Short mmCIF file of all heavy atoms in Angstrom, two decimals:
data_model
loop_
_atom_site.label_atom_id
_atom_site.label_comp_id
_atom_site.label_asym_id
_atom_site.label_seq_id
_atom_site.Cartn_x
_atom_site.Cartn_y
_atom_site.Cartn_z
N MET M 1 -20.85 -12.11 17.39
CA MET M 1 -20.47 -10.84 18.04
C MET M 1 -18.91 -10.71 18.06
O MET M 1 -18.21 -11.62 18.34
CB MET M 1 -20.97 -10.83 19.49
CG MET M 1 -20.72 -9.55 20.17
SD MET M 1 -21.67 -9.45 21.70
CE MET M 1 -20.43 -9.00 22.83
N THR M 2 -18.46 -9.55 17.80
CA THR M 2 -17.02 -9.25 17.75
C THR M 2 -16.52 -8.96 19.16
O THR M 2 -17.14 -8.15 19.91
CB THR M 2 -16.70 -8.03 16.87
OG1 THR M 2 -17.22 -8.32 15.55
CG2 THR M 2 -15.22 -7.77 16.76
N VAL M 3 -15.39 -9.50 19.51
CA VAL M 3 -14.74 -9.27 20.84
C VAL M 3 -14.19 -7.89 20.75
O VAL M 3 -13.56 -7.50 19.80
CB VAL M 3 -13.60 -10.27 21.04
CG1 VAL M 3 -12.82 -9.92 22.31
CG2 VAL M 3 -14.17 -11.70 21.17
N PRO M 4 -14.45 -7.03 21.81
CA PRO M 4 -13.93 -5.62 21.78
C PRO M 4 -12.39 -5.68 21.69
O PRO M 4 -11.73 -6.50 22.45
CB PRO M 4 -14.40 -5.06 23.13
CG PRO M 4 -15.56 -5.94 23.50
CD PRO M 4 -15.31 -7.25 22.98
N LYS M 5 -11.80 -4.80 20.97
CA LYS M 5 -10.37 -4.71 20.77
C LYS M 5 -9.92 -3.26 20.84
O LYS M 5 -10.65 -2.41 20.46
CB LYS M 5 -9.90 -5.39 19.45
CG LYS M 5 -10.31 -6.81 19.31
CD LYS M 5 -10.15 -7.30 17.87
CE LYS M 5 -10.68 -8.62 17.67
NZ LYS M 5 -12.20 -8.73 17.65
N THR M 6 -8.70 -3.04 21.18
CA THR M 6 -8.13 -1.72 21.19
C THR M 6 -6.83 -1.77 20.39
O THR M 6 -5.83 -2.30 20.89
CB THR M 6 -7.80 -1.22 22.57
OG1 THR M 6 -9.02 -1.25 23.35
CG2 THR M 6 -7.24 0.20 22.58
N PRO M 7 -6.76 -1.25 19.18
CA PRO M 7 -5.58 -1.36 18.39
C PRO M 7 -4.57 -0.26 18.92
O PRO M 7 -4.95 0.88 19.19
CB PRO M 7 -5.99 -1.05 16.98
CG PRO M 7 -7.21 -0.23 17.09
CD PRO M 7 -7.87 -0.70 18.42
#
Side-chain angles (χ1 to χ4, degrees):
M1 182 166 132
T2 302
V3 174
K5 300 168 187 75
T6 302

